[in-house]
Amino acid sequence: MDNLDHRIIDHLRRNARANYGDIGDDIGLSASAVKRRVDRLVADRVIRGFTVQVDPEVDGLGTEAYVEVFCRGTVAPGELKRILLNVPEVVEASTVSGSADAMMRLRSRDIAGLETALERVRDLPHVDHTRSSIVLSKLIERNRD
Amino acid sequence: MDNLDHRIIDHLRRNARANYGDIGDDIGLSASAVKRRVDRLVADRVIRGFTVQVDPEVDGLGTEAYVEVFCRGTVAPGELKRILLNVPEVVEASTVSGSADAMMRLRSRDIAGLETALERVRDLPHVDHTRSSIVLSKLIERNRD
DNA sequence: GATGAAACCTAACCTTT
DNA sequence: AAAGGTTAGGTTTCATC
């Protein structure tokens, strides 16, 4: 992870479909040297994937909520992950410090979709209750994912 | 924006560097038909850009927290946005339903960086207090951004 | 959807440090 | 060894039909 790797990542962040020659021209390496570095970055999981930024309206998932999950007793993170993966609306989930066991981000078509997803989460084993904050309007979104 | 466009976008979400031929094989179109559609999706700004998902440690932002913001009185969303933009650690912010006025996601180098960012948030005008949940481990991350 | 020329990817081989 | 450059082939892109 030297300076050249950082500059390659910067370039790919701006355009993940850039060709190796152009990246190389930018940073002063040959195309094949760039390819070798990109391959290594992918193999080392420094680069997790190449993706596309899409107009949110497109997939009809305009409704979002932050939901804290409170469990009964102690639940291992792996177990929690396994059970939360059953709810497709769960876009993100992390164990957190504080009184909640986990924080999730949910995405759905509309409020009704959110409601059914929340019912499913509350019916999962170990889950005691949840506490939701429905997103009213997005103020800031600085993409670094 | 028909079903084929959706399937192209799904494919690109999984791998933004996929070639047109492979996408075509997946959905039953020729490479050139796929290219025309992708070009159109980009021109129409349905596809906003192609980017890369990188290990957060790489840019030294391995520590993450969800933070609820509670304000004194009522604050307009635009005003809240303006003041939160002053804190670079705020990666995401939304107004939310419930007792908090906003939910933020913060990213920083380490816990100390999080602490100073939180101090800055609490010192902003209108902000009364905050409630933080520091991420211990990420369980799920289904990318839809 | 097909065609073909230009551009690109990629792996093997060579050079340099 | 480790990292970059060069070459050459097969593949992909992309404008045109």
Side-chain angles (χ1 to χ4, degrees):
Chain A
M1 273 271 60
D2 60 8
N3 187 45
L4 289 169
D5 286 335
H6 276 286
R7 292 175 68 189
I8 289 171
I9 287 172
D10 279 353
H11 199 115
L12 287 172
R13 257 208 260 260
R14 272 175 274 130
N15 177 17
R17 284 182 78 84
N19 65 51
Y20 297 127
D22 285 351
I23 301 172
D25 289 347
D26 193 17
I27 67 174
L29 279 183
S30 68
S32 50
V34 174
K35 181 191 187 299
R36 276 192 291 257
R37 279 174 176 263
V38 172
D39 287 347
R40 178 174 51 71
L41 291 168
V42 171
D44 294 351
R45 304 258 314 141
V46 172
I47 290 176
R48 300 284 168 86
F50 301 93
T51 191
V52 71
Q53 293 163 314
V54 178
D55 180 347
E57 303 289 331
V58 164
D59 28 43
L61 292 172
T63 305
E64 199 173 345
Y66 293 93
V67 180
E68 288 170 282
V69 182
F70 300 81
C71 294
R72 281 181 291 274
T74 43
V75 183
E79 169 80 353
L80 200 55
K81 173 177 180 172
R82 205 180 51 72
I83 63 171
L84 289 178
L85 275 171
N86 291 315
V87 184
E89 286 85 355
V90 176
V91 165
E92 201 180 306
S94 311
T95 55
V96 291
S97 68
S99 53
D101 292 286
M103 173 71 88
M104 310 186 298
R105 212 171 78 227
L106 265 60
R107 261 198 211 281
S108 67
R109 247 184 75 79
D110 49 29
I111 298 282
L114 214 57
E115 187 168 27
T116 54
L118 275 173
E119 281 166 17
R120 291 194 59 193
V121 169
R122 284 193 291 254
D123 284 345
L124 290 171
H126 308 296
V127 174
D128 187 78
H129 65 286
T130 60
R131 175 176 175 264
S132 303
S133 301
I134 296 168
V135 170
L136 301 175
S137 75
K138 189 130 272 179
L139 302 176
I140 298 176
E141 203 165 9
R142 293 197 252 243
N143 289 308
R144 286 268 135 162
D145 276 319
Chain B
M1 273 272 58
D2 60 8
N3 187 46
L4 289 170
D5 286 335
H6 276 286
R7 292 175 66 189
I8 289 171
I9 288 172
D10 279 354
H11 199 114
L12 287 172
R13 257 208 261 260
R14 271 175 273 127
N15 177 18
R17 284 183 79 84
N19 65 50
Y20 299 127
D22 285 351
I23 301 172
D25 289 348
D26 193 15
I27 67 172
L29 280 183
S30 69
S32 49
V34 173
K35 180 187 188 303
R36 273 193 294 260
R37 281 175 178 261
V38 172
D39 286 347
R40 179 175 49 72
L41 290 168
V42 170
D44 293 351
R45 304 262 310 144
V46 173
I47 290 175
R48 300 284 166 87
F50 300 94
T51 189
V52 71
Q53 295 162 311
V54 178
D55 180 347
E57 302 286 338
V58 164
D59 15 57
L61 293 172
T63 304
E64 200 173 345
Y66 293 93
V67 180
E68 288 170 282
V69 182
F70 299 83
C71 295
R72 281 180 294 272
T74 44
V75 183
E79 170 78 352
L80 200 54
K81 173 179 179 169
R82 206 182 49 70
I83 63 170
L84 289 178
L85 275 172
N86 291 315
V87 184
E89 286 84 355
V90 177
V91 165
E92 199 181 308
S94 312
T95 55
V96 290
S97 69
S99 55
D101 292 284
M103 173 71 87
M104 311 185 297
R105 212 172 79 229
L106 265 62
R107 263 197 209 280
S108 68
R109 246 184 75 80
D110 49 28
I111 297 281
L114 214 56
E115 187 168 28
T116 55
L118 276 172
E119 281 167 16
R120 290 195 58 193
V121 171
R122 284 193 290 254
D123 284 345
L124 291 170
H126 308 295
V127 174
D128 187 79
H129 65 286
T130 59
R131 174 176 175 263
S132 303
S133 301
I134 297 169
V135 170
L136 301 176
S137 74
K138 190 131 270 179
L139 302 176
I140 297 176
E141 205 164 8
R142 290 198 256 244
N143 296 301
R144 291 266 137 160
D145 275 319

